[in-house]
Amino acid sequence: MENIGKVSHWVFHLGDTRLVVNSTTLVMTWVVIGLVLAFALIATRDRAMVPGPWQQLAEFLVQTFRELVSEALGEAYEERYFPLICALFIFLLFCNWVGVFPGMEEPTKDINTTLGLGIMGFFIAHGTAIKAKGLKQYLKEYFEPMFFLMPLNVVGEVAKVISISFRLFGNVLGGSIIIIVVTHLVYGLLLPPFLYGFFALFVGTVQAFVFTMLTLVYISVQIR
Amino acid sequence: MAVEIAGADIVRAAAMLGAGIAMGIGAFGPGLGEGIAAAKAGEAIGRNPREAGLLTRTMLVGQAVAESTGIYSLVVALLLIFVV
């Protein structure tokens, strides 16, 4: 109960600069990457016309997101952005689900992970816009309805990154704190699995899907 | 013997009070928004049951987006409790 606010740090001294790293998040991110790779290997190991359970799950994910991406971005961009969107979803899904195992914490519980993914999505969306529409047209669009609305448009773009990152961060952190507090109240009797079921599995899946869908929509808005 | 209340205690108490108010008022908006989203989704599914899957998925995404302001007030409340 008392370790809610505590975050363990690794401190590296590079000459005179101090490099402070959240050790739990870093280690857990690598664990999740390992899990995702293991899932990928198991799913594609012995591909057969009659798919095994893992292959079926992987095919379902790939088909769903290929369809979503082609709907949102159109055929031209689908091939280039589908792997990103699908990998982002699977990574976030495993990130939010890993909290179920005892002793493991979700990397998305740390603002650095979600803000990093949000900023990545921001640069991808705006990089595509600049490449697709050309710098002049891209900049002109900030003055779109009326010239004096430029600050509003710029703030709107930055607000998208903040909102998408804090939504995932707040949901996962809030969920894990509620789980800790309620489990402490009932002394760990009967309730924790249901709490994990709701917060880690259901809310985690929905938030992973929402984060991925919004990243996809932000890219498609920039392209049109 | 009068109990000494230092300035830090008042700050701490105000932070706790602020966290409670932030979360209380912050819970009002998402409740309303998600209720409206669910109601509209219910009507739409009533009109077109074949599209229930797509409508449910869209409703969930819409509700998650509507929830974000509540989550921001949760983050503010957590900051007030654990950081101040």
Side-chain angles (χ1 to χ4, degrees), chain A residues 4 68 163 166-167 170-171 173-174 177 206-207 209-210, chain B residues 57 60-61 64-68 71-72 74-75 78 82:
Chain A
I4 289 180
L68 281 177
S163 77
F166 272 81
R167 177 179 303 116
N171 271 292
L173 180 68
I177 285 183
V206 169
Q207 288 304 323
F209 182 70
V210 165
Chain B
R57 187 152 49 92
L60 281 177
V61 171
V65 173
E67 214 176 68
S68 44
I71 294 300
Y72 303 153
L74 171 71
V75 169
L78 290 176
F82 290 115

